[in-house]
Each structure stands twice: as C-alpha cells, then as structure tokens.
CSV table of all heavy atoms in Angstrom, one decimal:
chain,number,residue,atom,x,y,z
H,1,LEU,N,44.2,186.1,8.0
H,1,LEU,CA,43.4,186.1,6.7
H,1,LEU,C,43.3,187.6,6.2
H,1,LEU,O,43.0,188.5,7.0
H,1,LEU,CB,42.0,185.6,6.9
H,1,LEU,CG,41.0,185.7,5.8
H,1,LEU,CD1,41.5,184.9,4.5
H,1,LEU,CD2,39.6,185.2,6.2
H,2,VAL,N,43.5,187.8,4.9
H,2,VAL,CA,43.3,189.0,4.3
H,2,VAL,C,42.4,188.8,3.1
H,2,VAL,O,42.7,187.9,2.2
H,2,VAL,CB,44.6,189.7,3.8
H,2,VAL,CG1,44.2,191.0,3.0
H,2,VAL,CG2,45.5,190.1,5.0
H,3,ILE,N,41.2,189.4,3.1
H,3,ILE,CA,40.3,189.3,1.9
H,3,ILE,C,40.4,190.7,1.2
H,3,ILE,O,40.1,191.7,1.8
H,3,ILE,CB,38.9,189.0,2.3
H,3,ILE,CG1,38.8,187.6,2.9
H,3,ILE,CG2,37.9,189.1,1.1
H,3,ILE,CD1,37.4,187.2,3.4
H,4,ILE,N,40.7,190.6,-0.1
H,4,ILE,CA,40.7,191.8,-0.9
H,4,ILE,C,39.5,191.7,-1.9
H,4,ILE,O,39.4,190.8,-2.8
H,4,ILE,CB,42.0,192.0,-1.7
H,4,ILE,CG1,43.2,192.1,-0.8
H,4,ILE,CG2,41.9,193.2,-2.7
H,4,ILE,CD1,44.5,192.1,-1.5
H,5,LEU,N,38.5,192.6,-1.7
H,5,LEU,CA,37.3,192.6,-2.5
H,5,LEU,C,37.5,193.6,-3.6
H,5,LEU,O,37.5,194.8,-3.3
H,5,LEU,CB,36.0,192.9,-1.7
H,5,LEU,CG,34.7,192.6,-2.3
H,5,LEU,CD1,34.5,191.1,-2.5
H,5,LEU,CD2,33.5,193.1,-1.5
H,6,GLU,N,37.6,193.2,-4.8
H,6,GLU,CA,37.8,194.1,-6.0
H,6,GLU,C,36.5,194.6,-6.5
H,6,GLU,O,35.6,193.8,-6.8
H,6,GLU,CB,38.6,193.3,-7.1
H,6,GLU,CG,40.0,193.1,-6.8
H,6,GLU,CD,40.8,194.4,-6.9
H,6,GLU,OE1,40.4,195.3,-7.6
H,6,GLU,OE2,41.9,194.5,-6.2
H,7,GLU,N,36.3,195.9,-6.6
H,7,GLU,CA,35.1,196.5,-7.1
H,7,GLU,C,34.9,196.2,-8.6
H,7,GLU,O,35.7,196.4,-9.4
H,7,GLU,CB,35.2,198.0,-6.9
H,7,GLU,CG,34.1,198.8,-7.5
H,7,GLU,CD,32.8,198.7,-6.8
H,7,GLU,OE1,32.7,198.8,-5.6
H,7,GLU,OE2,31.8,198.3,-7.5
H,8,SER,N,33.6,195.7,-8.9
H,8,SER,CA,33.1,195.6,-10.2
H,8,SER,C,34.0,195.0,-11.2
H,8,SER,O,34.3,195.5,-12.3
H,8,SER,CB,32.7,197.0,-10.7
H,8,SER,OG,31.8,197.6,-9.9
H,9,LEU,N,34.6,193.8,-10.9
H,9,LEU,CA,35.5,193.1,-11.8
H,9,LEU,C,35.0,191.8,-12.3
H,9,LEU,O,35.1,190.8,-11.6
H,9,LEU,CB,36.9,193.0,-11.1
H,9,LEU,CG,38.0,192.4,-11.9
H,9,LEU,CD1,38.3,193.2,-13.2
H,9,LEU,CD2,39.3,192.2,-11.1
H,10,GLY,N,34.4,191.8,-13.5
H,10,GLY,CA,33.9,190.5,-14.0
H,10,GLY,C,34.9,189.7,-14.8
H,10,GLY,O,36.0,190.3,-15.2
H,11,ALA,N,34.7,188.5,-14.9
H,11,ALA,CA,35.6,187.6,-15.7
H,11,ALA,C,35.7,188.1,-17.1
H,11,ALA,O,36.7,187.7,-17.8
H,11,ALA,CB,35.1,186.2,-15.7
H,12,GLN,N,34.8,188.8,-17.6
H,12,GLN,CA,34.8,189.3,-19.0
H,12,GLN,C,36.0,190.2,-19.2
H,12,GLN,O,36.4,190.5,-20.4
H,12,GLN,CB,33.6,190.0,-19.4
H,12,GLN,CG,33.2,191.3,-18.6
H,12,GLN,CD,32.0,192.0,-19.1
H,12,GLN,OE1,31.9,192.3,-20.2
H,12,GLN,NE2,31.1,192.3,-18.1
H,13,TYR,N,36.7,190.7,-18.2
H,13,TYR,CA,37.8,191.6,-18.3
H,13,TYR,C,39.1,190.9,-17.9
H,13,TYR,O,40.2,191.5,-17.8
H,13,TYR,CB,37.6,192.8,-17.4
H,13,TYR,CG,36.4,193.6,-17.7
H,13,TYR,CD1,35.3,193.6,-16.8
H,13,TYR,CD2,36.2,194.3,-18.9
H,13,TYR,CE1,34.1,194.3,-17.1
H,13,TYR,CE2,35.1,195.0,-19.2
H,13,TYR,CZ,34.0,195.0,-18.3
H,13,TYR,OH,32.9,195.7,-18.6
H,14,VAL,N,39.1,189.6,-17.6
H,14,VAL,CA,40.2,188.8,-17.1
H,14,VAL,C,40.7,187.9,-18.2
H,14,VAL,O,39.9,186.9,-18.5
H,14,VAL,CB,39.9,188.1,-15.8
H,14,VAL,CG1,41.1,187.3,-15.3
H,14,VAL,CG2,39.4,189.1,-14.7
H,15,GLY,N,41.9,188.1,-18.7
H,15,GLY,CA,42.3,187.3,-19.9
H,15,GLY,C,42.4,185.8,-19.6
H,15,GLY,O,42.1,185.0,-20.4
H,16,SER,N,42.9,185.4,-18.4
H,16,SER,CA,43.0,184.0,-18.0
H,16,SER,C,41.7,183.3,-17.8
H,16,SER,O,41.7,182.1,-17.7
H,16,SER,CB,43.9,183.9,-16.7
H,16,SER,OG,43.3,184.6,-15.7
H,17,LEU,N,40.6,184.1,-17.8
H,17,LEU,CA,39.3,183.5,-17.7
H,17,LEU,C,38.5,183.6,-19.0
H,17,LEU,O,37.3,183.5,-19.0
H,17,LEU,CB,38.5,184.1,-16.5
H,17,LEU,CG,39.1,183.9,-15.1
H,17,LEU,CD1,38.3,184.7,-14.1
H,17,LEU,CD2,39.2,182.4,-14.8
H,18,GLY,N,39.2,183.9,-20.1
H,18,GLY,CA,38.6,184.0,-21.4
H,18,GLY,C,38.1,185.4,-21.7
H,18,GLY,O,37.4,185.6,-22.7
H,19,GLY,N,38.4,186.4,-20.9
H,19,GLY,CA,38.0,187.8,-21.1
H,19,GLY,C,39.0,188.7,-21.8
H,19,GLY,O,40.0,188.2,-22.3
H,20,LEU,N,38.8,190.0,-21.8
H,20,LEU,CA,39.8,190.9,-22.4
H,20,LEU,C,41.1,190.9,-21.5
H,20,LEU,O,41.1,190.6,-20.3
H,20,LEU,CB,39.2,192.3,-22.3
H,20,LEU,CG,37.9,192.6,-23.2
H,20,LEU,CD1,37.4,194.0,-22.9
H,20,LEU,CD2,38.2,192.4,-24.7
H,21,SER,N,42.2,191.2,-22.2
H,21,SER,CA,43.5,191.1,-21.5
H,21,SER,C,43.8,192.5,-20.8
H,21,SER,O,44.6,193.2,-21.2
H,21,SER,CB,44.6,190.8,-22.5
H,21,SER,OG,44.3,189.6,-23.1
H,22,LEU,N,43.0,192.7,-19.7
H,22,LEU,CA,43.1,194.0,-19.0
H,22,LEU,C,43.8,193.7,-17.6
H,22,LEU,O,44.1,194.7,-16.9
H,22,LEU,CB,41.8,194.6,-18.8
H,22,LEU,CG,41.0,195.0,-20.0
H,22,LEU,CD1,39.6,195.6,-19.7
H,22,LEU,CD2,41.8,196.0,-20.9
H,23,THR,N,44.0,192.5,-17.2
H,23,THR,CA,44.4,192.2,-15.8
H,23,THR,C,45.6,191.3,-15.8
H,23,THR,O,45.5,190.1,-15.3
H,23,THR,CB,43.3,191.6,-15.0
H,23,THR,OG1,42.8,190.3,-15.7
H,23,THR,CG2,42.1,192.5,-14.9
H,24,PRO,N,46.8,191.7,-16.3
H,24,PRO,CA,47.9,190.8,-16.3
H,24,PRO,C,48.4,190.4,-14.9
H,24,PRO,O,48.9,189.3,-14.7
H,24,PRO,CB,49.0,191.7,-17.0
H,24,PRO,CG,48.5,193.1,-16.8
H,24,PRO,CD,47.1,193.0,-16.9
H,25,GLU,N,48.1,191.2,-13.9
H,25,GLU,CA,48.5,190.9,-12.5
H,25,GLU,C,47.6,189.8,-12.0
H,25,GLU,O,48.1,188.8,-11.3
H,25,GLU,CB,48.4,192.1,-11.6
H,25,GLU,CG,49.4,193.2,-12.0
H,25,GLU,CD,50.8,192.8,-12.0
H,25,GLU,OE1,51.2,192.0,-11.1
H,25,GLU,OE2,51.6,193.3,-12.8
H,26,ILE,N,46.3,189.9,-12.2
H,26,ILE,CA,45.5,188.8,-11.7
H,26,ILE,C,45.7,187.5,-12.5
H,26,ILE,O,45.7,186.4,-11.9
H,26,ILE,CB,44.0,189.2,-11.9
H,26,ILE,CG1,43.6,190.3,-10.8
H,26,ILE,CG2,43.0,188.0,-11.7
H,26,ILE,CD1,42.2,190.8,-10.8
H,27,ASP,N,46.0,187.6,-13.8
H,27,ASP,CA,46.4,186.5,-14.6
H,27,ASP,C,47.6,185.8,-14.0
H,27,ASP,O,47.7,184.6,-13.9
H,27,ASP,CB,46.7,186.9,-16.0
H,27,ASP,CG,45.4,187.4,-16.7
H,27,ASP,OD1,44.3,187.1,-16.3
H,27,ASP,OD2,45.6,188.1,-17.8
H,28,LYS,N,48.6,186.6,-13.5
H,28,LYS,CA,49.8,186.1,-12.9
H,28,LYS,C,49.5,185.4,-11.6
H,28,LYS,O,50.0,184.3,-11.3
H,28,LYS,CB,50.8,187.2,-12.7
H,28,LYS,CG,52.2,186.8,-12.3
H,28,LYS,CD,53.0,188.0,-11.8
H,28,LYS,CE,53.0,189.1,-12.9
H,28,LYS,NZ,53.8,190.3,-12.4
H,29,LEU,N,48.6,186.0,-10.8
H,29,LEU,CA,48.3,185.4,-9.5
H,29,LEU,C,47.5,184.1,-9.7
H,29,LEU,O,47.6,183.2,-8.8
H,29,LEU,CB,47.5,186.5,-8.7
H,29,LEU,CG,48.2,187.7,-8.3
H,29,LEU,CD1,47.3,188.7,-7.6
H,29,LEU,CD2,49.4,187.4,-7.4
H,30,ASN,N,46.7,184.1,-10.7
H,30,ASN,CA,45.9,182.8,-11.0
H,30,ASN,C,46.9,181.6,-11.2
H,30,ASN,O,46.5,180.5,-11.0
H,30,ASN,CB,45.0,183.0,-12.2
H,30,ASN,CG,43.7,183.7,-11.8
H,30,ASN,OD1,43.4,183.9,-10.6
H,30,ASN,ND2,43.0,184.2,-12.8
H,31,LYS,N,48.1,181.9,-11.6
H,31,LYS,CA,49.1,180.8,-11.9
H,31,LYS,C,49.9,180.5,-10.6
H,31,LYS,O,50.7,179.6,-10.6
H,31,LYS,CB,50.0,181.2,-13.0
H,31,LYS,CG,49.3,181.4,-14.4
H,31,LYS,CD,50.3,181.8,-15.4
H,31,LYS,CE,49.6,182.0,-16.8
H,31,LYS,NZ,50.5,182.5,-17.8
H,32,GLN,N,49.6,181.3,-9.6
H,32,GLN,CA,50.4,181.1,-8.3
H,32,GLN,C,49.6,180.5,-7.2
H,32,GLN,O,50.2,180.0,-6.2
H,32,GLN,CB,51.0,182.5,-7.9
H,32,GLN,CG,51.9,183.1,-8.9
H,32,GLN,CD,52.3,184.5,-8.4
H,32,GLN,OE1,52.1,185.0,-7.3
H,32,GLN,NE2,53.0,185.2,-9.3
H,33,GLY,N,48.3,180.6,-7.3
H,33,GLY,CA,47.5,180.2,-6.1
H,33,GLY,C,46.4,179.2,-6.6
H,33,GLY,O,46.4,178.6,-7.6
H,34,TRP,N,45.4,179.1,-5.7
H,34,TRP,CA,44.2,178.3,-6.0
H,34,TRP,C,43.2,179.2,-6.6
H,34,TRP,O,42.5,179.9,-6.0
H,34,TRP,CB,43.7,177.7,-4.6
H,34,TRP,CG,42.5,176.8,-4.7
H,34,TRP,CD1,41.8,176.4,-5.9
H,34,TRP,CD2,41.9,176.1,-3.6
H,34,TRP,NE1,40.8,175.6,-5.5
H,34,TRP,CE2,40.8,175.4,-4.2
H,34,TRP,CE3,42.1,176.1,-2.3
H,34,TRP,CZ2,40.0,174.6,-3.4
H,34,TRP,CZ3,41.2,175.3,-1.5
H,34,TRP,CH2,40.2,174.6,-2.0
H,35,ALA,N,43.1,179.1,-8.0
H,35,ALA,CA,42.2,179.9,-8.7
H,35,ALA,C,41.0,179.2,-9.1
H,35,ALA,O,41.0,178.0,-9.3
H,35,ALA,CB,43.0,180.4,-10.0
H,36,PHE,N,39.9,180.0,-9.3
H,36,PHE,CA,38.6,179.4,-9.6
H,36,PHE,C,38.2,179.9,-11.0
H,36,PHE,O,38.0,181.1,-11.2
H,36,PHE,CB,37.5,179.8,-8.6
H,36,PHE,CG,37.9,179.3,-7.2
H,36,PHE,CD1,38.5,180.2,-6.3
H,36,PHE,CD2,37.7,178.0,-6.8
H,36,PHE,CE1,38.8,179.9,-5.0
H,36,PHE,CE2,38.1,177.6,-5.5
H,36,PHE,CZ,38.6,178.5,-4.6
H,37,SER,N,38.0,178.9,-11.9
H,37,SER,CA,37.6,179.3,-13.3
H,37,SER,C,36.1,179.5,-13.5
H,37,SER,O,35.7,180.2,-14.5
H,37,SER,CB,38.1,178.3,-14.3
H,37,SER,OG,37.5,177.0,-14.1
H,38,ASN,N,35.3,179.0,-12.6
H,38,ASN,CA,33.9,179.1,-12.7
H,38,ASN,C,33.2,179.6,-11.4
H,38,ASN,O,32.4,178.9,-10.8
H,38,ASN,CB,33.3,177.8,-13.2
H,38,ASN,CG,33.6,177.4,-14.6
H,38,ASN,OD1,33.4,178.2,-15.5
H,38,ASN,ND2,34.2,176.3,-14.7
H,39,LEU,N,33.7,180.7,-10.9
H,39,LEU,CA,33.2,181.3,-9.7
H,39,LEU,C,32.1,182.3,-10.1
H,39,LEU,O,32.3,183.2,-11.0
H,39,LEU,CB,34.3,182.0,-8.9
H,39,LEU,CG,33.9,182.9,-7.7
H,39,LEU,CD1,33.3,182.1,-6.6
H,39,LEU,CD2,35.2,183.6,-7.2
H,40,PHE,N,31.0,182.3,-9.3
H,40,PHE,CA,29.9,183.1,-9.7
H,40,PHE,C,29.4,184.0,-8.5
H,40,PHE,O,29.3,183.5,-7.4
H,40,PHE,CB,28.7,182.3,-10.1
H,40,PHE,CG,28.9,181.7,-11.5
H,40,PHE,CD1,29.5,180.4,-11.6
H,40,PHE,CD2,28.6,182.3,-12.7
H,40,PHE,CE1,29.7,179.8,-12.8
H,40,PHE,CE2,28.8,181.7,-13.9
H,40,PHE,CZ,29.4,180.5,-14.0
H,41,ALA,N,29.3,185.3,-8.8
H,41,ALA,CA,28.8,186.2,-7.7
H,41,ALA,C,27.3,185.9,-7.4
H,41,ALA,O,26.6,185.3,-8.3
H,41,ALA,CB,28.9,187.6,-8.2
H,42,THR,N,26.8,186.3,-6.3
H,42,THR,CA,25.4,186.1,-5.9
H,42,THR,C,24.5,187.2,-6.3
H,42,THR,O,23.3,187.1,-6.3
H,42,THR,CB,25.3,185.9,-4.4
H,42,THR,OG1,25.8,187.1,-3.7
H,42,THR,CG2,26.0,184.7,-3.9
H,43,GLY,N,25.1,188.4,-6.7
H,43,GLY,CA,24.3,189.5,-7.1
H,43,GLY,C,25.0,190.5,-7.9
H,43,GLY,O,26.1,190.2,-8.5
H,44,THR,N,24.5,191.7,-8.0
H,44,THR,CA,25.0,192.8,-8.9
H,44,THR,C,25.4,194.1,-8.1
H,44,THR,O,25.7,195.1,-8.7
H,44,THR,CB,23.9,193.2,-9.9
H,44,THR,OG1,22.7,193.7,-9.2
H,44,THR,CG2,23.5,192.0,-10.7
H,45,ARG,N,25.4,194.0,-6.8
H,45,ARG,CA,25.8,195.2,-6.0
H,45,ARG,C,26.9,194.8,-5.0
H,45,ARG,O,27.0,193.6,-4.6
H,45,ARG,CB,24.6,195.7,-5.1
H,45,ARG,CG,23.5,196.3,-5.9
H,45,ARG,CD,23.8,197.7,-6.4
H,45,ARG,NE,24.5,198.5,-5.4
H,45,ARG,CZ,23.9,199.2,-4.4
H,45,ARG,NH1,22.6,199.2,-4.3
H,45,ARG,NH2,24.6,200.0,-3.6
C-alpha cells in the first residue's frame, strides 16, 4: 500500500469534480481507478 496525501487540495480545483481545470493529472487518474465524486474531509488541518 502507498498512500499519497496531497496538501490542501479541494475539489474546487479539480476539473473532473466540477472545479477549476488545474489538475489534468488527477483528472486522468480519476478515469483510471476507483474515484470518489463525493468524498469529504473530516477537518481543515
């Protein structure tokens, strides 16, 4: 298992989740794996 925790990355910046088109690589990966369209963080830190 490898977990990559991306710092401060909200869905508002991810094009494939309805946000700004700033993350073409994540958009590409969302089409390759098991992606979650309504995943929510537990906090703000």
Side-chain angles (χ1 to χ4, degrees):
L1 174 64
V2 175
I3 294 178
I4 299 172
L5 194 67
E6 286 286 333
E7 171 71 52
S8 304
L9 183 59
Q12 62 176 309
Y13 304 108
V14 180
S16 57
L17 297 177
L20 297 174
S21 299
L22 299 177
T23 58
E25 297 299 328
I26 289 179
D27 294 339
K28 187 190 308 179
L29 296 175
N30 279 346
K31 296 177 181 178
Q32 298 174 9
W34 181 359
F36 303 99
S37 63
N38 291 305
L39 171 61
F40 291 89
T42 58
T44 61
R45 289 287 316 278

